[in-house]
Amino acid sequence: MALATIAEVASETIMAHLAILKSAMKVGSVITIDKGVLTLAKLAAVSKENNDVIFPILLHHLENCRPKEIPQHSESTLLAVTDENKNELLKVLRKRERYLTAPQLKRVKKIYKSLEA
């Protein structure tokens, strides 16, 4: 069973092994990274305590990931967005806009609209 699938019900256990998850994302395949971001976002959505620890990790990832990953990973990160942290996400995405292709930027602009709603 994938971690992203059980993140909500096993958040305490996964949080105890957060370093392993982060390490796997650094050296893993594209799929490992994709699922790692989704897992982190789901964990961050479980509680404010988790969010305080994980959201900066997600932002750092978005600041440094390959441009082609930005739309998908931003969409996953939306699960962890709160009123308190949404401006931080917007700031990171706006900084990365110039590296995006037109279709990628279109997906990111949909994220902007969802955060404004």
Side-chain angles (χ1 to χ4, degrees):
M1 186 176 287
L3 285 178
T5 306
I6 62 169
E8 292 96 348
V9 295
S11 67
E12 288 180 29
T13 303
I14 299 169
M15 285 298 291
H17 300 285
L18 189 58
I20 295 170
L21 176 56
K22 287 171 40 181
S23 176
M25 286 177 62
K26 284 183 183 170
V27 299
S29 68
V30 171
I31 293 171
T32 301
I33 297 167
D34 292 348
K35 294 302 181 185
V37 170
L38 181 59
T39 300
L40 288 174
K42 287 184 175 186
L43 284 172
V46 169
S47 70
K48 180 173 179 4
E49 293 78 18
N50 286 7
N51 198 294
D52 289 345
V53 171
I54 293 172
F55 202 75
I57 298 167
L58 291 168
L59 289 179
H60 182 263
H61 173 74
L62 289 171
E63 288 172 338
N64 297 290
C65 67
R66 298 178 305 163
K68 70 183 205 172
E69 295 173 334
I70 293 170
Q72 178 183 355
H73 293 180
S74 298
E75 290 161 356
S76 294
T77 299
L78 278 176
L79 298 170
V81 172
T82 65
D83 286 338
E84 292 81 32
N85 64 22
K86 76 177 178 181
N87 287 331
E88 295 173 69
L89 175 62
L90 290 169
K91 191 161 79 172
V92 168
L93 293 179
R94 288 194 177 109
K95 275 192 219 170
R96 301 291 315 263
E97 279 182 4
R98 63 184 166 165
Y99 303 107
L100 303 177
T101 63
Q104 292 166 341
L105 184 57
K106 185 177 179 181
R107 284 176 69 184
V108 169
K109 286 186 176 184
K110 284 183 182 179
I111 292 168
Y112 296 162
K113 285 184 183 174
S114 73
L115 292 174
E116 292 169 0

Short mmCIF file of all heavy atoms in Angstrom, two decimals, residues 51-103:
data_model
loop_
_atom_site.label_atom_id
_atom_site.label_comp_id
_atom_site.label_asym_id
_atom_site.label_seq_id
_atom_site.Cartn_x
_atom_site.Cartn_y
_atom_site.Cartn_z
N ASN A 51 1.38 20.38 9.50
CA ASN A 51 1.49 21.40 8.47
C ASN A 51 2.66 22.33 8.76
O ASN A 51 3.41 22.70 7.86
CB ASN A 51 0.18 22.19 8.37
CG ASN A 51 0.07 22.96 7.07
OD1 ASN A 51 0.83 23.87 6.82
ND2 ASN A 51 -0.89 22.57 6.25
N ASP A 52 2.83 22.69 10.02
CA ASP A 52 3.93 23.59 10.39
C ASP A 52 5.29 22.99 10.05
O ASP A 52 6.23 23.71 9.70
CB ASP A 52 3.87 23.92 11.89
CG ASP A 52 2.70 24.83 12.24
OD1 ASP A 52 2.09 25.43 11.33
OD2 ASP A 52 2.39 24.94 13.45
N VAL A 53 5.41 21.67 10.14
CA VAL A 53 6.66 20.98 9.85
C VAL A 53 6.83 20.75 8.35
O VAL A 53 7.90 20.96 7.78
CB VAL A 53 6.73 19.63 10.59
CG1 VAL A 53 7.92 18.80 10.13
CG2 VAL A 53 6.77 19.85 12.10
N ILE A 54 5.76 20.36 7.68
CA ILE A 54 5.84 19.86 6.31
C ILE A 54 5.70 20.95 5.25
O ILE A 54 6.35 20.89 4.21
CB ILE A 54 4.79 18.75 6.08
CG1 ILE A 54 5.18 17.55 6.92
CG2 ILE A 54 4.67 18.39 4.62
CD1 ILE A 54 4.13 16.46 6.94
N PHE A 55 4.87 21.95 5.48
CA PHE A 55 4.64 22.94 4.42
C PHE A 55 5.93 23.61 3.95
O PHE A 55 6.14 23.77 2.74
CB PHE A 55 3.58 23.96 4.83
CG PHE A 55 2.95 24.64 3.64
CD1 PHE A 55 2.03 23.98 2.85
CD2 PHE A 55 3.31 25.93 3.29
CE1 PHE A 55 1.46 24.58 1.74
CE2 PHE A 55 2.75 26.55 2.18
CZ PHE A 55 1.82 25.87 1.41
N PRO A 56 6.84 23.96 4.87
CA PRO A 56 8.13 24.52 4.39
C PRO A 56 8.91 23.54 3.51
O PRO A 56 9.59 23.97 2.57
CB PRO A 56 8.88 24.83 5.69
CG PRO A 56 7.82 25.01 6.72
CD PRO A 56 6.73 24.05 6.33
N ILE A 57 8.80 22.26 3.77
CA ILE A 57 9.47 21.25 2.94
C ILE A 57 8.87 21.27 1.54
O ILE A 57 9.59 21.22 0.54
CB ILE A 57 9.33 19.85 3.57
CG1 ILE A 57 10.02 19.81 4.94
CG2 ILE A 57 9.88 18.76 2.63
CD1 ILE A 57 9.69 18.58 5.77
N LEU A 58 7.54 21.34 1.47
CA LEU A 58 6.87 21.39 0.17
C LEU A 58 7.26 22.64 -0.61
O LEU A 58 7.52 22.59 -1.81
CB LEU A 58 5.35 21.32 0.36
CG LEU A 58 4.80 19.98 0.85
CD1 LEU A 58 3.35 20.12 1.28
CD2 LEU A 58 4.95 18.90 -0.21
N LEU A 59 7.31 23.78 0.09
CA LEU A 59 7.70 25.02 -0.58
C LEU A 59 9.14 24.94 -1.10
O LEU A 59 9.41 25.35 -2.24
CB LEU A 59 7.57 26.21 0.37
CG LEU A 59 6.16 26.64 0.73
CD1 LEU A 59 6.19 27.81 1.70
CD2 LEU A 59 5.34 26.98 -0.49
N HIS A 60 10.02 24.41 -0.29
CA HIS A 60 11.42 24.27 -0.71
C HIS A 60 11.51 23.38 -1.95
O HIS A 60 12.27 23.66 -2.88
CB HIS A 60 12.26 23.70 0.44
CG HIS A 60 13.70 23.58 0.11
ND1 HIS A 60 14.27 22.41 -0.33
CD2 HIS A 60 14.70 24.51 0.12
CE1 HIS A 60 15.55 22.61 -0.57
NE2 HIS A 60 15.84 23.87 -0.30
N HIS A 61 10.73 22.31 -1.95
CA HIS A 61 10.72 21.42 -3.12
C HIS A 61 10.26 22.19 -4.36
O HIS A 61 10.89 22.09 -5.43
CB HIS A 61 9.82 20.21 -2.86
CG HIS A 61 9.64 19.37 -4.07
ND1 HIS A 61 10.64 18.54 -4.55
CD2 HIS A 61 8.61 19.27 -4.94
CE1 HIS A 61 10.21 17.95 -5.66
NE2 HIS A 61 8.98 18.38 -5.91
N LEU A 62 9.18 22.95 -4.23
CA LEU A 62 8.66 23.70 -5.38
C LEU A 62 9.64 24.77 -5.85
O LEU A 62 9.69 25.10 -7.03
CB LEU A 62 7.31 24.33 -5.04
CG LEU A 62 6.16 23.33 -4.91
CD1 LEU A 62 4.92 24.02 -4.36
CD2 LEU A 62 5.85 22.66 -6.25
N GLU A 63 10.42 25.31 -4.96
CA GLU A 63 11.43 26.31 -5.33
C GLU A 63 12.56 25.69 -6.14
O GLU A 63 13.22 26.40 -6.91
CB GLU A 63 12.02 26.94 -4.07
CG GLU A 63 11.08 27.87 -3.35
CD GLU A 63 11.62 28.34 -2.01
OE1 GLU A 63 12.49 27.67 -1.42
OE2 GLU A 63 11.13 29.38 -1.55
N ASN A 64 12.78 24.39 -5.97
CA ASN A 64 13.97 23.76 -6.55
C ASN A 64 13.71 22.62 -7.52
O ASN A 64 14.66 22.13 -8.15
CB ASN A 64 14.86 23.24 -5.41
CG ASN A 64 15.35 24.37 -4.54
OD1 ASN A 64 16.17 25.16 -4.95
ND2 ASN A 64 14.81 24.47 -3.34
N CYS A 65 12.48 22.19 -7.67
CA CYS A 65 12.21 21.05 -8.56
C CYS A 65 12.29 21.48 -10.02
O CYS A 65 12.34 22.67 -10.35
CB CYS A 65 10.85 20.44 -8.25
SG CYS A 65 9.41 21.46 -8.62
N ARG A 66 12.32 20.47 -10.88
CA ARG A 66 12.35 20.76 -12.32
C ARG A 66 11.07 21.50 -12.72
O ARG A 66 10.00 21.17 -12.20
CB ARG A 66 12.47 19.46 -13.11
CG ARG A 66 13.74 18.69 -12.83
CD ARG A 66 13.81 17.39 -13.58
NE ARG A 66 12.63 16.56 -13.31
CZ ARG A 66 12.24 15.53 -14.04
NH1 ARG A 66 12.94 15.16 -15.09
NH2 ARG A 66 11.17 14.85 -13.73
N PRO A 67 11.17 22.46 -13.61
CA PRO A 67 9.97 23.21 -14.00
C PRO A 67 8.80 22.33 -14.44
O PRO A 67 7.66 22.65 -14.12
CB PRO A 67 10.47 24.10 -15.15
CG PRO A 67 11.90 24.34 -14.80
CD PRO A 67 12.38 23.01 -14.22
N LYS A 68 9.09 21.24 -15.13
CA LYS A 68 7.98 20.41 -15.60
C LYS A 68 7.23 19.73 -14.45
O LYS A 68 6.11 19.27 -14.64
CB LYS A 68 8.45 19.40 -16.64
CG LYS A 68 9.31 18.28 -16.14
CD LYS A 68 9.74 17.43 -17.33
CE LYS A 68 10.08 16.02 -16.93
NZ LYS A 68 10.28 15.18 -18.09
N GLU A 69 7.82 19.69 -13.26
CA GLU A 69 7.15 19.10 -12.10
C GLU A 69 6.28 20.11 -11.35
O GLU A 69 5.44 19.71 -10.55
CB GLU A 69 8.19 18.52 -11.13
CG GLU A 69 8.98 17.38 -11.68
CD GLU A 69 10.11 16.92 -10.77
OE1 GLU A 69 10.61 17.74 -9.97
OE2 GLU A 69 10.47 15.74 -10.87
N ILE A 70 6.49 21.37 -11.58
CA ILE A 70 5.81 22.41 -10.81
C ILE A 70 4.29 22.29 -10.85
O ILE A 70 3.65 22.31 -9.79
CB ILE A 70 6.29 23.81 -11.24
CG1 ILE A 70 7.75 24.00 -10.84
CG2 ILE A 70 5.42 24.91 -10.62
CD1 ILE A 70 8.40 25.24 -11.43
N PRO A 71 3.65 22.16 -12.02
CA PRO A 71 2.18 22.08 -12.00
C PRO A 71 1.65 20.90 -11.16
O PRO A 71 0.80 21.11 -10.28
CB PRO A 71 1.81 21.93 -13.48
CG PRO A 71 2.95 22.54 -14.21
CD PRO A 71 4.17 22.20 -13.39
N GLN A 72 2.15 19.72 -11.42
CA GLN A 72 1.65 18.54 -10.70
C GLN A 72 1.93 18.64 -9.20
O GLN A 72 1.06 18.38 -8.37
CB GLN A 72 2.25 17.26 -11.26
CG GLN A 72 1.78 16.02 -10.50
CD GLN A 72 2.44 14.75 -11.01
OE1 GLN A 72 3.18 14.75 -11.98
NE2 GLN A 72 2.16 13.65 -10.33
N HIS A 73 3.13 19.02 -8.85
CA HIS A 73 3.49 19.07 -7.44
C HIS A 73 2.78 20.22 -6.73
O HIS A 73 2.44 20.09 -5.55
CB HIS A 73 5.00 19.16 -7.29
CG HIS A 73 5.69 17.91 -7.74
ND1 HIS A 73 7.05 17.76 -7.70
CD2 HIS A 73 5.21 16.74 -8.26
CE1 HIS A 73 7.37 16.56 -8.17
NE2 HIS A 73 6.26 15.93 -8.52
N SER A 74 2.48 21.28 -7.44
CA SER A 74 1.69 22.37 -6.86
C SER A 74 0.26 21.92 -6.62
O SER A 74 -0.34 22.26 -5.60
CB SER A 74 1.69 23.59 -7.78
OG SER A 74 2.98 24.07 -7.95
N GLU A 75 -0.28 21.17 -7.56
CA GLU A 75 -1.64 20.64 -7.40
C GLU A 75 -1.71 19.72 -6.18
O GLU A 75 -2.67 19.79 -5.41
CB GLU A 75 -2.08 19.92 -8.67
CG GLU A 75 -2.31 20.87 -9.84
CD GLU A 75 -2.29 20.20 -11.21
OE1 GLU A 75 -2.01 18.99 -11.32
OE2 GLU A 75 -2.53 20.92 -12.18
N SER A 76 -0.71 18.89 -5.99
CA SER A 76 -0.66 18.04 -4.81
C SER A 76 -0.55 18.88 -3.54
O SER A 76 -1.23 18.62 -2.54
CB SER A 76 0.52 17.06 -4.88
OG SER A 76 0.36 16.14 -5.92
N THR A 77 0.30 19.89 -3.58
CA THR A 77 0.53 20.75 -2.42
C THR A 77 -0.74 21.48 -1.99
O THR A 77 -0.90 21.81 -0.81
CB THR A 77 1.67 21.75 -2.73
OG1 THR A 77 2.87 21.00 -3.00
CG2 THR A 77 1.92 22.70 -1.58
N LEU A 78 -1.66 21.69 -2.91
CA LEU A 78 -2.92 22.36 -2.57
C LEU A 78 -3.62 21.69 -1.39
O LEU A 78 -4.32 22.37 -0.63
CB LEU A 78 -3.86 22.39 -3.78
CG LEU A 78 -3.64 23.49 -4.80
CD1 LEU A 78 -4.59 23.33 -5.96
CD2 LEU A 78 -3.79 24.86 -4.16
N LEU A 79 -3.44 20.40 -1.23
CA LEU A 79 -4.07 19.69 -0.11
C LEU A 79 -3.62 20.25 1.23
O LEU A 79 -4.33 20.16 2.22
CB LEU A 79 -3.72 18.19 -0.17
CG LEU A 79 -4.19 17.41 -1.39
CD1 LEU A 79 -3.57 16.02 -1.40
CD2 LEU A 79 -5.71 17.32 -1.40
N ALA A 80 -2.43 20.83 1.27
CA ALA A 80 -1.84 21.32 2.52
C ALA A 80 -2.00 22.83 2.70
O ALA A 80 -1.55 23.38 3.70
CB ALA A 80 -0.35 20.96 2.55
N VAL A 81 -2.64 23.49 1.76
CA VAL A 81 -2.76 24.95 1.83
C VAL A 81 -3.83 25.35 2.83
O VAL A 81 -4.92 24.78 2.87
CB VAL A 81 -3.06 25.54 0.43
CG1 VAL A 81 -3.38 27.02 0.51
CG2 VAL A 81 -1.88 25.31 -0.50
N THR A 82 -3.48 26.35 3.63
CA THR A 82 -4.41 26.95 4.59
C THR A 82 -4.47 28.44 4.32
O THR A 82 -3.66 28.97 3.54
CB THR A 82 -3.93 26.72 6.05
OG1 THR A 82 -2.70 27.43 6.23
CG2 THR A 82 -3.76 25.25 6.36
N ASP A 83 -5.38 29.12 4.98
CA ASP A 83 -5.44 30.58 4.83
C ASP A 83 -4.13 31.22 5.27
O ASP A 83 -3.71 32.23 4.71
CB ASP A 83 -6.60 31.16 5.65
CG ASP A 83 -7.95 30.88 5.02
OD1 ASP A 83 -8.01 30.62 3.80
OD2 ASP A 83 -8.95 30.92 5.75
N GLU A 84 -3.48 30.60 6.26
CA GLU A 84 -2.24 31.17 6.80
C GLU A 84 -1.05 31.00 5.85
O GLU A 84 -0.12 31.81 5.90
CB GLU A 84 -1.89 30.52 8.15
CG GLU A 84 -2.85 30.88 9.26
CD GLU A 84 -4.12 30.03 9.24
OE1 GLU A 84 -4.06 28.85 8.84
OE2 GLU A 84 -5.18 30.55 9.62
N ASN A 85 -1.03 29.96 5.03
CA ASN A 85 0.17 29.71 4.23
C ASN A 85 -0.02 29.87 2.72
O ASN A 85 0.94 29.71 1.97
CB ASN A 85 0.77 28.33 4.54
CG ASN A 85 -0.13 27.18 4.18
OD1 ASN A 85 -1.03 27.29 3.34
ND2 ASN A 85 0.09 26.04 4.81
N LYS A 86 -1.21 30.18 2.28
CA LYS A 86 -1.44 30.22 0.83
C LYS A 86 -0.62 31.29 0.13
O LYS A 86 -0.16 31.10 -0.99
CB LYS A 86 -2.92 30.34 0.49
CG LYS A 86 -3.54 31.69 0.69
CD LYS A 86 -4.99 31.66 0.23
CE LYS A 86 -5.66 32.98 0.47
NZ LYS A 86 -7.07 32.95 0.07
N ASN A 87 -0.36 32.42 0.79
CA ASN A 87 0.44 33.47 0.16
C ASN A 87 1.88 33.03 -0.06
O ASN A 87 2.52 33.44 -1.04
CB ASN A 87 0.38 34.76 0.97
CG ASN A 87 -0.97 35.43 0.83
OD1 ASN A 87 -1.64 35.30 -0.19
ND2 ASN A 87 -1.38 36.15 1.86
N GLU A 88 2.39 32.19 0.83
CA GLU A 88 3.74 31.66 0.65
C GLU A 88 3.82 30.81 -0.62
O GLU A 88 4.78 30.91 -1.38
CB GLU A 88 4.16 30.81 1.86
CG GLU A 88 4.28 31.59 3.15
CD GLU A 88 4.53 30.65 4.31
OE1 GLU A 88 5.62 30.07 4.38
OE2 GLU A 88 3.61 30.50 5.14
N LEU A 89 2.80 29.98 -0.83
CA LEU A 89 2.76 29.15 -2.05
C LEU A 89 2.66 30.04 -3.28
O LEU A 89 3.39 29.83 -4.26
CB LEU A 89 1.58 28.18 -2.00
CG LEU A 89 1.38 27.34 -3.26
CD1 LEU A 89 2.57 26.45 -3.55
CD2 LEU A 89 0.10 26.53 -3.17
N LEU A 90 1.80 31.02 -3.23
CA LEU A 90 1.64 31.92 -4.38
C LEU A 90 2.96 32.62 -4.71
O LEU A 90 3.32 32.75 -5.88
CB LEU A 90 0.55 32.95 -4.11
CG LEU A 90 -0.88 32.42 -4.07
CD1 LEU A 90 -1.83 33.47 -3.53
CD2 LEU A 90 -1.31 31.92 -5.43
N LYS A 91 3.68 33.04 -3.70
CA LYS A 91 4.96 33.73 -3.91
C LYS A 91 5.96 32.81 -4.63
O LYS A 91 6.63 33.22 -5.58
CB LYS A 91 5.51 34.20 -2.57
CG LYS A 91 6.67 35.14 -2.69
CD LYS A 91 6.90 35.94 -1.41
CE LYS A 91 7.63 35.11 -0.38
NZ LYS A 91 8.04 35.90 0.79
N VAL A 92 6.03 31.56 -4.19
CA VAL A 92 6.95 30.60 -4.80
C VAL A 92 6.55 30.34 -6.25
O VAL A 92 7.39 30.35 -7.15
CB VAL A 92 6.99 29.28 -4.01
CG1 VAL A 92 7.70 28.18 -4.79
CG2 VAL A 92 7.65 29.50 -2.66
N LEU A 93 5.27 30.14 -6.50
CA LEU A 93 4.81 29.86 -7.86
C LEU A 93 5.06 31.04 -8.79
O LEU A 93 5.48 30.85 -9.94
CB LEU A 93 3.34 29.47 -7.86
CG LEU A 93 3.01 28.14 -7.18
CD1 LEU A 93 1.51 27.88 -7.22
CD2 LEU A 93 3.77 26.99 -7.82
N ARG A 94 4.82 32.23 -8.30
CA ARG A 94 5.05 33.41 -9.15
C ARG A 94 6.53 33.55 -9.51
O ARG A 94 6.86 33.96 -10.61
CB ARG A 94 4.50 34.66 -8.47
CG ARG A 94 2.98 34.67 -8.49
CD ARG A 94 2.37 36.00 -8.14
NE ARG A 94 0.92 35.91 -8.24
CZ ARG A 94 0.09 35.91 -7.19
NH1 ARG A 94 0.56 36.02 -5.97
NH2 ARG A 94 -1.21 35.81 -7.37
N LYS A 95 7.41 33.21 -8.59
CA LYS A 95 8.85 33.26 -8.88
C LYS A 95 9.24 32.26 -9.96
O LYS A 95 10.18 32.50 -10.71
CB LYS A 95 9.66 32.92 -7.62
CG LYS A 95 9.92 34.07 -6.72
CD LYS A 95 10.96 33.65 -5.69
CE LYS A 95 10.66 34.19 -4.33
NZ LYS A 95 11.49 33.64 -3.28
N ARG A 96 8.52 31.14 -10.02
CA ARG A 96 8.89 30.08 -10.96
C ARG A 96 8.19 30.21 -12.32
O ARG A 96 8.50 29.47 -13.25
CB ARG A 96 8.56 28.70 -10.36
CG ARG A 96 9.22 28.34 -9.05
CD ARG A 96 10.71 28.10 -9.08
NE ARG A 96 11.28 27.31 -10.11
CZ ARG A 96 11.59 26.02 -10.05
NH1 ARG A 96 11.35 25.33 -8.96
NH2 ARG A 96 12.14 25.39 -11.05
N GLU A 97 7.25 31.12 -12.45
CA GLU A 97 6.46 31.26 -13.68
C GLU A 97 7.32 31.36 -14.93
O GLU A 97 7.00 30.77 -15.96
CB GLU A 97 5.56 32.50 -13.62
CG GLU A 97 4.30 32.32 -12.85
CD GLU A 97 3.44 33.57 -12.87
OE1 GLU A 97 3.79 34.57 -13.55
OE2 GLU A 97 2.41 33.56 -12.19
N ARG A 98 8.39 32.11 -14.85
CA ARG A 98 9.19 32.37 -16.06
C ARG A 98 9.85 31.12 -16.63
O ARG A 98 10.32 31.12 -17.75
CB ARG A 98 10.24 33.44 -15.79
CG ARG A 98 11.26 33.05 -14.76
CD ARG A 98 12.20 34.19 -14.46
NE ARG A 98 12.94 33.89 -13.25
CZ ARG A 98 14.00 34.53 -12.88
NH1 ARG A 98 14.46 35.52 -13.61
NH2 ARG A 98 14.62 34.21 -11.77
N TYR A 99 9.89 30.06 -15.85
CA TYR A 99 10.51 28.81 -16.30
C TYR A 99 9.49 27.84 -16.91
O TYR A 99 9.86 26.76 -17.37
CB TYR A 99 11.22 28.11 -15.13
CG TYR A 99 12.26 28.97 -14.48
CD1 TYR A 99 12.03 29.54 -13.24
CD2 TYR A 99 13.47 29.27 -15.13
CE1 TYR A 99 12.98 30.35 -12.64
CE2 TYR A 99 14.41 30.09 -14.54
CZ TYR A 99 14.16 30.62 -13.29
OH TYR A 99 15.10 31.43 -12.71
N LEU A 100 8.22 28.22 -16.90
CA LEU A 100 7.16 27.32 -17.33
C LEU A 100 6.80 27.51 -18.81
O LEU A 100 6.85 28.64 -19.32
CB LEU A 100 5.91 27.52 -16.47
CG LEU A 100 6.09 27.35 -14.97
CD1 LEU A 100 4.79 27.67 -14.24
CD2 LEU A 100 6.56 25.95 -14.63
N THR A 101 6.40 26.43 -19.44
CA THR A 101 5.86 26.51 -20.78
C THR A 101 4.43 27.04 -20.68
O THR A 101 3.85 27.10 -19.59
CB THR A 101 5.82 25.13 -21.46
OG1 THR A 101 4.92 24.29 -20.71
CG2 THR A 101 7.21 24.49 -21.52
N ALA A 102 3.85 27.40 -21.79
CA ALA A 102 2.48 27.93 -21.79
C ALA A 102 1.49 26.94 -21.16
O ALA A 102 0.68 27.33 -20.32
CB ALA A 102 2.06 28.32 -23.20
N PRO A 103 1.51 25.64 -21.53
CA PRO A 103 0.58 24.70 -20.90
C PRO A 103 0.82 24.55 -19.39
O PRO A 103 -0.14 24.44 -18.61
CB PRO A 103 0.83 23.38 -21.62
CG PRO A 103 1.45 23.76 -22.93
CD PRO A 103 2.23 25.01 -22.64
#
